[in-house]
């Protein structure tokens, strides 16, 4: 996949894959490329980046949301091998999961920063990690929200993600499937709890609170392979779209999703 000239001035995003086995999201303003998390091992990440026509050396930064394995696995190896700066909160660093990296920058929750032309706002989310954040991006006057790994739609999250033009949104589990599924009871309680992951119905509630008027793209992400099905996530969100279902897509564990440009 190569850069198309008409797309180069847009805020764009894509996924290398999403789900409990690994997450990695690409965000670009046409000049800057950042990877949000890398839950894939280094070789696998290289292979997946190549499918987007990208080499790890083209990445300006890796932004880390939190230290869980499905987000951090490949970050240290990639950063060390290709000298990519890693942006992370002090809490994520203190988890000790990253290892040494050649260059890191502190992310301070709620404090905006920029990487070249890409503006970034880290937002605190309720999740059971040391100091988890999710990110809101701005470039060319457009806003993208990346919002996964949260146990419930807190007021703070709703305020922080209002007015986005596109949203990558966690639809982790279907409550009934989680209930009757194979997870041990304590894990069910963790996933379904206030500091775990967002259920399809909570994603729908969050979207309703945010308002859908401006949203050109909504991507159902971090879908559990054990406790959810893409059809159930789509079924939960479709009624909110007033018939315009073309705005809704699903991010798969295997293939993520292709570049999306925000007009
Ligand atoms: Zn997590
Ligand atoms: Zn996760």
């Amino acid at each position: 996949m190569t850069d198309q000239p008409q797309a180069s001035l847009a805020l764009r995003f894509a996924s290398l894959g999403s789900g409990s086995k690994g997450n990695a999201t690409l965000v670009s303003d046409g000049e800057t490329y950042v990877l949000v998390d890398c839950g894939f091992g280094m070789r696998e990440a290289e292979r997946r980046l190549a499918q987007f026509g990208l080499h790890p050396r083209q990445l300006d930064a890796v932004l880390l949301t939190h230290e869980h394995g499905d987000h951090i696995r490949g970050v240290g190896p990639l950063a060390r091998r290709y000298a990519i700066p890693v942006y992370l909160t002090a809490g994520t660093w203190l988890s000790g999961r990253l290892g040494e990296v050649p260059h890191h920058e502190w992310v301070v929750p709620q404090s905006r920063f920029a990487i070249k032309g890409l503006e970034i706002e880290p937002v605190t989310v309720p999740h059971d990690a040391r100091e988890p954040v999710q990110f809101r991006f701005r470039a060319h006057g457009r806003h993208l929200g990346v919002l996964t790994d949260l146990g419930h739609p807190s007021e703070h999250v709703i305020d922080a993600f209002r007015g986005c033009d596109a949203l990558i949104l966690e639809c982790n589990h279907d409550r009934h499937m989680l209930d009757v599924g194979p997870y041990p009871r304590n894990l069910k309680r963790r996933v379904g709890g206030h500091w775990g992951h967002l259920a399809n119905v909570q994603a729908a509630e969050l979207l309703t609170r945010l308002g859908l008027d401006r949203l050109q793209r909504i991507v159902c992400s971090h879908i559990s392979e054990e406790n959810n099905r893409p059809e159930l996530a789509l079924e939960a969100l479709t009624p909110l779209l007033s018939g315009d279902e073309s705005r809704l897509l699903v991010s798969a564990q295997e293939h993520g999703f292709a570049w999306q440009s925000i007009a």
Side-chain angles (χ1 to χ4, degrees):
M1 216 173 295
T2 50
D3 274 342
Q4 264 139 56
Q6 71 270 25
S8 64
L9 281 176
L11 177 57
R12 299 189 302 149
F13 60 103
S15 167
L16 306 190
S18 174
S20 41
K21 292 182 184 144
N23 296 274
T25 307
L26 281 166
V27 181
S28 175
D29 62 1
E31 290 174 340
T32 318
Y33 288 91
V34 306
L35 193 61
V36 179
D37 296 330
C38 187
F40 304 103
M42 189 174 70
R43 296 285 168 222
E44 184 62 15
E46 287 170 345
R47 187 184 73 77
R48 289 178 185 242
L49 280 168
Q51 290 175 339
F52 287 89
L54 283 172
H55 188 276
R57 285 191 212 287
Q58 288 171 272
L59 297 174
D60 295 280
V62 178
L63 311 186
L64 199 45
T65 59
H66 64 298
E67 69 274 19
H68 290 160
D70 57 320
H71 299 263
I72 205 173
R73 193 168 294 119
V75 174
L78 268 182
R80 287 189 281 277
R81 177 165 180 137
Y82 298 106
I84 306 166
V86 180
Y87 288 64
L88 77 173
T89 64
T92 302
W93 172 256
L94 287 171
S95 75
R97 300 283 300 274
L98 181 65
E100 288 302 318
V101 290
H103 184 73
H104 74 266
E105 297 279 343
W106 293 131
V107 164
V108 178
Q110 283 67 247
S111 294
R112 287 179 203 174
F113 60 99
I115 299 174
K116 299 200 287 191
L118 195 57
E119 290 172 50
I120 302 157
E121 182 181 351
V123 179
T124 297
V125 287
H127 189 56
D128 52 4
R130 290 285 188 102
E131 195 179 9
V133 288
Q134 295 289 321
F135 295 103
R136 178 173 175 145
F137 294 89
R138 177 168 186 244
H140 308 298
R142 295 288 180 262
H143 295 250
L144 163 69
V146 177
L147 185 52
T148 67
D149 296 78
L150 72 166
H152 63 279
S154 66
E155 292 302 318
H156 173 67
V157 162
I158 289 163
D159 282 346
F161 285 90
R162 255 194 201 109
C164 284
D165 302 281
L167 188 63
I168 295 176
L169 178 60
E170 171 162 53
C171 295
N172 178 259
H173 57 278
D174 169 76
R175 278 190 173 147
H176 177 68
M177 281 186 74
L178 179 66
D179 258 6
V180 300
Y183 278 14
R185 194 185 304 180
N186 59 345
L187 188 54
K188 286 183 184 184
R189 213 176 286 141
R190 192 222 135 208
V191 168
H194 254 48
W195 303 88
H197 290 278
L198 214 57
N200 295 337
V201 288
Q202 290 174 298
E205 177 199 331
L206 194 154
L207 265 184
T208 307
R209 297 277 315 274
L210 288 177
L212 285 97
D213 292 354
R214 272 185 74 147
L215 283 170
Q216 300 174 22
R217 284 279 181 281
I218 302 153
V219 188
C220 305
S221 292
H222 214 303
I223 295 179
S224 165
E225 289 182 314
E226 302 272 12
N227 304 309
N228 206 357
R229 290 200 306 269
E231 313 86 85
L232 294 175
L234 291 171
E235 205 174 281
L237 302 192
T238 301
L240 309 175
L241 298 173
S242 327
D244 184 7
E245 290 162 31
S246 62
R247 294 191 276 171
L248 191 60
L249 20 153
V250 167
S251 186
Q253 181 70 77
E254 264 322 295
H255 308 291
F257 57 88
W259 282 116
Q260 307 292 313
S261 284
I262 310 175

